[in-house]
């Protein structure tokens, strides 16, 4: 059944029909008709942010903690350019977003009109797909298609640019139908022949390892359940990327911890020495592989991914299975059971003994202090305080992010929101607000750095307005710690511009926004401070003053292989370990 | 030369052989589709040696883009999957790996000159089978259709006798045999 309405009403209606309950946005001239349509209804809740970048990250947090599409609405020109960072972030971390942008009326497009910018041109490279809708006739189809493209296949951000005259125009609205798209048809089921070949390879493995990533989380809860089943059936060790944390429970015996540049010793050495690698929903990113030509030199590799361009992109694999992790894992579990496949038990036992040897290194150990709060200790105490509650964690970007990944342990998917691919400082606070709106009763904490959190601090005001009781746990080392660490290791300790000399008083800053502000610098009082932060009903900023020059270890220095990883106690020599070539890398 | 093996990025291409490939890409003919394709090439650092585009099925809004690019087997595979990832792309075929494809290009070549050069230009045009589209007392415009290297040779010859201007269409290509895309 078709109904007549304006373009602006179609936007609001399509969002509702697509199951959107919250839209993050900021008004302006080119979206006023859509805001007017929002005014006349109650089901769709608009969350007014303080900067459009905040809307994008909030929508990301919302999407990643629910598995639904995050939605945002911004005006033309500066509204659209302000979301570019958030869209790029979502593209690199495969987060489904639909971003509606207003545009100047069609007859003014190309005339450098007030607040005109080439939104589809600017966002072409930072979206999965984008549309400029020049006619009301196309609007309903494009809106529904945008959601379809955003959520299916490898998820990603989609922009729909709607000129103001199209918002005013009247036309016929049609509800979404699941017609096949003309060209876009992601493949879900994996090739059975290849799956069988993969299982045969796994059954012969003597030193196997599962290397998993965000693809499992994107595939849905079901995929995480199947992964757990397969890992338990096989008895293989498992590690994951930063993006995949929580897909497999960190408390499980078979869990090796995160891998990569700041990953665990045992995970990285297992990757290096394995003979069969089963990569599920990860993409052999440079933070993971380290020096590429020394990456897991003796393994036969299986790669399961929904994006064909990820297979054989950085690392050549023997068996590439194109499909959705959930579907492929389902076949794998079933066939492994049916064939009563057995891994080589005695070889596996030997492999586990080797791994236990690596584990015994206790690579995350650090020297604690009774005078000053160590950042690692702060994350450990935070974890101890919240682990039995319904909690979600977001982070900013830097050392604190890595310490959060190392010392906070995730048992379930969709509980950990961090900017992995783009490494966007300023992600954590708005993302936390998005998460909190999706889960009003849960405890949502942004583990933050003092530098990063200032990048979108204005969103505290959003948290207050929309009663999102997020907790901002700042590991305040007064430095852009990760930058300082690299300067220490690679640039002779010359800390160019990485010290923030005029930090605000975060307690007063919290109060200025109408939130609760706290400071803690005494390790003995940390637990009490954390308890107060958690039990305070509204938004809280806890300024946790930590040791200033702590480094994040272990670390695989640039240009080095997994088995050349540095542990904390060898830190002093690190400057000599990285050669000229390595210094040129990021 | 420093040891390149310390880089953790794909090592600077290890003298792997590169080859020219002709890709036929069918796309939905929507605004901006060409920008998506050419932008993907520039954004990811691939090069385009030739690109032609035209609507082939008007009613279905389908266009065909013929792209000539070069790279190692691995790079060509990446280019194909990156193309296939674009939402309006129907399909990509590598005409080079599917057996010798037919490739043709059309060139318009303007030559100016007098006396002996004029006569030579006409002789060469006849030898290459070019058509004369325009003639004045001091110039010619020739049309030549052929394989790329044939056109290259024709232009090289004309340079000697007084080449003024060249306009080439880029390559149109098709696989041999009964099968379609
Ligand atoms: C938008 C943005 N600009 C710059 C960087 C580079 N960068 C990475 S980490 C970092 C320092 C972060 O400092 P802080 O938030 O205090 O975290 P810490 O490392 O001290 O824990 C910087 C500047 C970035 N990732 N994002
Ligand atoms: Mg800091």
């Amino acid at each position: 059944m078709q109904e007549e309405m304006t373009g602006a009403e179609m936007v609001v209606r399509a969002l509702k029909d697509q199951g959107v309950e919250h839209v993050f946005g900021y008004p302006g001239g080119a979206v006023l008709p859509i805001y007017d349509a929002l005014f006349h209804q109650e089901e769709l809740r608009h969350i007014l942010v303080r900067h459009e970048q905040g809307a994008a990250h909030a929508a990301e947090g919302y999407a990643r903690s629910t598995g639904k599409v995050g939605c945002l609405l911004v005006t033309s020109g500066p509204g659209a350019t302000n979301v570019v960072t958030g869209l790029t972030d979502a593209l690199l971390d495969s987060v489904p977003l639909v971003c509606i942008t207003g545009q100047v009326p069609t007859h003014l497009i190309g005339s450098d009109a007030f607040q005109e910018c080439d939104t589809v041109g600017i966002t072409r490279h930072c979206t999965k797909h984008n549309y400029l809708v020049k006619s009301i006739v196309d609007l309903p189809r494009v809106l529904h298609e945008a959601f379809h493209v955003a959520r299916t296949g490898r998820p990603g951000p989609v922009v729909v640019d709607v000129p103001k005259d199209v918002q005013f125009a009247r036309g016929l609205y049609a509800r979404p139908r699941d017609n096949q798209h003309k060209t876009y048809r992601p493949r879900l089921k994996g090739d059975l022949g290849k799956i069988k070949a993969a299982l045969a390879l796994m059954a012969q493995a003597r030193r196997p390892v599962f290397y998993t990533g965000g693809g499992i989380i994107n595939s849905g809860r079901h995929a995480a359940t199947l992964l757990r089943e397969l890992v338990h059936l096989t008895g293989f060790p498992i590690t994951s990327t930063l993006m995949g944390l929580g897909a497999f429970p960190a408390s499980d015996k078979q869990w090796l911890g995160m891998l990569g540049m700041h990953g665990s010793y045992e995970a990285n050495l297992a990757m290096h020495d394995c003979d069969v690698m089963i990569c599920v929903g990860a993409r052999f990113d440079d933070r993971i592989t380290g020096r590429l030509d020394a990456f897991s030199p003796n393994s036969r590799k299986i790669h399961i991914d929904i994006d064909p361009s990820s297979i054989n992109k950085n690392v050549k694999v023997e068996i590439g299975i194109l499909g959705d992790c959930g579907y492929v894992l389902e076949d794998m579990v079933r066939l492994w059971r049916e064939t009563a496949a057995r891994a080589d038990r005695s070889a596996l036992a030997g492999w586990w003994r080797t791994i236990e040897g690596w584990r015994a290194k206790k690579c995350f150990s650090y020297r604690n202090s009774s005078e000053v709060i160590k950042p690692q200790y702060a994350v450990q105490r935070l974890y101890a305080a919240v682990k039995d509650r319904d909690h979600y964690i977001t982070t900013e970007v830097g050392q604190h992010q890595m310490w959060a990944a190392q010392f906070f342990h995730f048992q379930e998917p969709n509980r950990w929101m961090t900017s992995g691919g783009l490494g966007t400082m300023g992600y954590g606070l708005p993302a936390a607000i998005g998460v909190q709106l999706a889960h009003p009763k849960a405890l949502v904490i942004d583990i933050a750095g003092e530098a990063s959190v200032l990048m979108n601090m204005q969103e505290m005001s959003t948290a207050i307005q929309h009663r999102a009781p997020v907790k901002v746990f700042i590991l305040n080392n007064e430095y852009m710690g990760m930058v300082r660490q690299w300067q220490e290791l690679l640039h002779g300790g010359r800390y160019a511009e990485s010290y923030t000399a005029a930090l605000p008083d975060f307690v007063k800053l919290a109060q200025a926004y109408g939130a609760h502000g706290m400071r803690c610098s005494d390790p003995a009082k940390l637990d009490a401070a954390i308890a107060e932060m958690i039990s305070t009903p509204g938004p809280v900023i806890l300024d946790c003053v930590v040791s200033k020059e702590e480094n994040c270890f272990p670390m695989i220095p640039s240009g080095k292989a997994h088995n050349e990883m540095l542990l904390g106690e060898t830190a002093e020599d690190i400057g000599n370990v990285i050669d000229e070539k390595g210094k040129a890398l990021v | 030369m420093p040891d390149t093996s310390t880089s953790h990025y794909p090592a600077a291409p290890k003298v792997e052989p590169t080859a020219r490939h002709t890709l036929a890409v069918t796309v939905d003919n929507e605004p901006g589709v060409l920008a998506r394709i050419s932008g993907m090439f520039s954004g990811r650092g691939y090069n385009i040696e030739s690109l032609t585009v035209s609507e082939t099925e008007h009613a279905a809004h389908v266009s065909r883009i013929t792209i000539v690019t070069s790279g190692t087997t691995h790079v060509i595979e990446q280019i194909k999957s990156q193309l296939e990832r674009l939402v309006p792309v129907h399909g990509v075929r590598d005409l080079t790996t599917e057996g010798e494809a037919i490739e043709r290009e059309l060139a318009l070549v303007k030559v100016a000159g007098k006396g002996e050069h004029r006569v030579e230009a006409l002789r060469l045009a006849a030898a290459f089978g070019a058509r004369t589209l325009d003639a004045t007392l001091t110039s010619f415009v020739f049309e030549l259709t052929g394989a790329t290297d044939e056109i290259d040779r024709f232009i090289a010859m004309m340079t000697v006798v007084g080449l003024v201007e060249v306009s080439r269409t880029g390559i149109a290509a098709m696989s041999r045999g009964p099968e379609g895309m």
Side-chain angles (χ1 to χ4, degrees), chain A residues 529-541:
Chain A
I530 291 172
E532 183 184 332
M533 174 183 87
I534 294 171
S535 62
T536 304
V540 180
I541 294 179

Side-chain angles (χ1 to χ4, degrees), chain A residues 397-400 423 425 449-452 455 477 479-483:
Chain A
V397 170
Q399 290 180 316
H400 63 276
M425 292 170 69
E450 80 296 332
S452 298
M455 286 212 176
N477 51 12
Y479 276 105
M480 298 169 197
M482 191 57 94
V483 173

Side-chain angles (χ1 to χ4, degrees), chain A residues 278-282 302-306 311 319-325 328-329 332:
Chain A
I278 310 114
C279 170
V280 194
I302 299 162
H303 186 183
I304 302 163
D305 205 294
I306 198 156
I311 297 175
I319 304 175
I321 302 172
L322 184 60
D324 183 289
C325 299
V328 177
L329 285 170
M332 289 180 103

Side-chain angles (χ1 to χ4, degrees), chain B residues 119-138:
Chain B
V119 180
E120 192 54 33
L122 273 181
R123 262 197 225 117
L124 284 167
F128 275 83
R131 293 206 312 147
T132 309
L133 298 185
D134 181 60
T136 69
L137 288 173
T138 54

Side-chain angles (χ1 to χ4, degrees), chain A residues 12-153:
Chain A
V12 173
R13 174 63 86 77
L15 263 47
K16 285 185 200 167
D17 284 346
Q18 290 291 342
V20 178
E21 289 165 34
H22 294 85
V23 55
F24 300 88
Y26 208 96
V31 276
L32 284 180
I34 300 174
Y35 273 84
D36 201 37
L38 280 173
F39 190 79
H40 289 291
Q41 57 84 51
E42 260 158 22
E43 300 99 294
L44 191 59
R45 194 169 153 206
H46 179 269
I47 308 297
L48 179 68
V49 294
R50 300 299 183 263
H51 183 297
E52 289 87 350
Q53 185 188 353
H57 296 321
E60 283 188 277
Y62 187 92
R64 288 178 58 183
S65 66
T66 57
K68 300 198 321 190
V69 178
C71 193
L72 56 153
L73 171 61
V74 300
T75 193
S76 65
T81 56
N82 270 352
V83 297
V84 165
T85 303
L87 294 171
T88 313
D89 194 89
L91 182 70
L92 281 177
D93 284 345
S94 309
V95 185
L97 294 186
V98 168
C99 172
I100 312 285
T101 54
Q103 183 54 281
V104 301
T106 43
H107 68 274
L108 288 182
I109 290 180
S111 71
D112 298 325
F114 179 62
Q115 296 197 326
E116 181 189 359
C117 73
D118 177 7
T119 302
V120 287
I122 290 170
T123 61
R124 192 171 288 132
H125 295 279
C126 61
T127 53
K128 179 172 172 184
H129 196 48
N130 61 12
Y131 305 84
L132 168 64
V133 186
K134 283 190 171 167
S135 156
I136 185 79
V137 179
D138 299 324
L139 187 59
R141 177 188 56 80
V142 168
L143 287 166
H144 297 313
E145 195 178 302
F147 278 87
H148 177 66
V149 171
R151 85 161 65 88
T152 56

